[in-house]
Amino acid sequence: KKILTVHLANHWLKKIFGLNIRHILRSLDAAFSIFLIRRKILPNYDGINVVYPPIKDFIEKNTSYKKPVYTLPFNFFDEKKSIKPSKKDGKIKFVVPGLIEPYRRDFDLTLDIFEKMFEKYNDKISLWILGEPIGQGGIKVIERCKVFKEKGYNISFSETFIPEDKYNKVLIESDVIFSPLNVVTKRDTGIKEIYGKTEGSALIFEAIQYCKPFIVPLHVLAPAAIII
């Protein structure tokens, strides 16, 4: 059987289209691509795979898709990536993994929280913003990180792509994954997705793979609990 993994239930399976006025050309291009995928690609597969059981429930109750829906995760626990972090400096190491795109995560909230934490516990914590900045929104986040660095806060970040070996090393040596996902997202298509309900995040599977506790919004916890 041929199975296609679908990450965005509303984009690929619901008969709705949106329009992002600020990015009309990209929005139209994305809408046309969605149309082709629904008409030309989906019919060629015997079923689809989604990463969370709640996404499967959403598809079965809210779309016209009639073929089997499976729930296989991105990855599983990896002993090679579960090395305990070094405690030589005694700091609790927080990491925010993933591309720096404000529509995905509330980076302003993240930096507001850690600014207050750094003011009191700078000698006890550190923060890695582990992702490449995308667009002007990503650049603004980096600029604020630079201000933190100038103040002597224990924050690390990158202005360019992070190689896989370095990405893995930082996650292995971290203590806590912190990711304030924007539960409701809207890309250039203007179509809304809801993390944990219509869209999956690699974050939860990274937490499983690297065996790390993680902090996310309450509405994202339900699918994680089901998978674990």
Side-chain angles (χ1 to χ4, degrees):
K1 288 187 176 182
K2 294 191 299 182
I3 307 298
L4 176 69
T5 295
V6 171
H7 298 284
L8 306 170
N10 278 335
H11 276 70
W12 309 138
L13 299 170
K14 288 206 73 175
K15 294 182 178 180
I16 54 175
F17 287 94
L19 184 65
N20 188 326
I21 302 300
R22 295 177 62 185
H23 305 286
I24 293 179
L25 291 179
R26 277 189 289 173
S27 179
L28 291 174
D29 180 66
F32 182 66
S33 298
I34 291 171
F35 176 79
L36 290 179
I37 287 172
R38 292 176 182 176
R39 289 295 183 93
K40 300 297 183 181
I41 296 179
L42 278 176
N44 294 322
Y45 286 83
D46 301 303
I48 60 173
N49 173 63
V50 295
V51 295
Y52 299 156
I55 300 178
K56 175 181 178 179
D57 294 339
F58 176 85
I59 291 171
E60 292 176 342
K61 294 176 181 178
N62 297 279
T63 74
S64 60
Y65 191 76
K66 301 302 180 184
K67 293 181 181 180
V69 181
Y70 303 93
T71 54
L72 298 174
F74 289 123
N75 47 41
F76 300 93
F77 169 67
D78 187 342
E79 291 184 359
K80 296 179 181 179
K81 295 183 177 180
S82 63
I83 302 172
K84 293 183 179 179
S86 171
K87 287 296 181 183
K88 292 181 180 179
D89 60 5
K91 292 185 175 65
I92 299 174
K93 300 178 177 64
F94 293 88
V95 59
V96 180
L99 296 175
I100 305 176
E101 293 181 292
Y103 88 84
R104 292 179 183 269
R105 297 173 183 84
D106 192 337
F107 284 97
D108 285 335
L109 174 63
T110 299
L111 296 178
D112 286 346
I113 290 173
F114 277 92
E115 183 172 25
K116 294 180 180 179
M117 292 176 66
F118 281 133
E119 289 172 355
K120 292 185 177 181
Y121 309 110
N122 191 47
D123 59 334
K124 297 181 180 179
I125 66 171
S126 65
L127 173 65
W128 242 108
I129 305 294
L130 190 62
E132 178 185 4
I134 303 298
Q136 289 301 312
I139 293 173
K140 288 181 180 179
V141 172
I142 291 298
E143 291 303 315
R144 190 173 176 191
C145 289
K146 289 180 180 179
V147 173
F148 279 24
K149 198 74 174 178
E150 291 172 359
K151 291 182 178 181
Y153 295 158
N154 291 313
I155 186 171
S156 299
F157 52 90
S158 176
E159 297 183 62
T160 58
F161 173 77
I162 298 176
E164 184 178 1
D165 57 345
K166 183 175 182 179
Y167 187 90
N168 288 336
K169 184 176 185 295
V170 173
L171 273 170
I172 288 172
E173 295 178 352
S174 67
D175 293 294
V176 181
I177 295 175
F178 185 94
S179 189
L181 294 168
N182 290 321
V183 178
V184 178
T185 64
K186 184 187 292 186
R187 292 169 172 75
D188 291 339
T189 57
I191 299 175
K192 292 182 179 180
E193 299 287 354
I194 303 173
Y195 274 118
K197 184 177 181 181
T198 71
E199 177 178 1
S201 170
L203 163 72
I204 292 171
F205 299 98
E206 286 185 326
I208 294 173
Q209 186 179 32
Y210 291 87
C211 196
K212 303 294 181 182
F214 62 99
I215 300 173
V216 292
L218 178 61
H219 295 296
V220 183
L221 286 177
I226 292 172
I227 291 169
I228 293 173

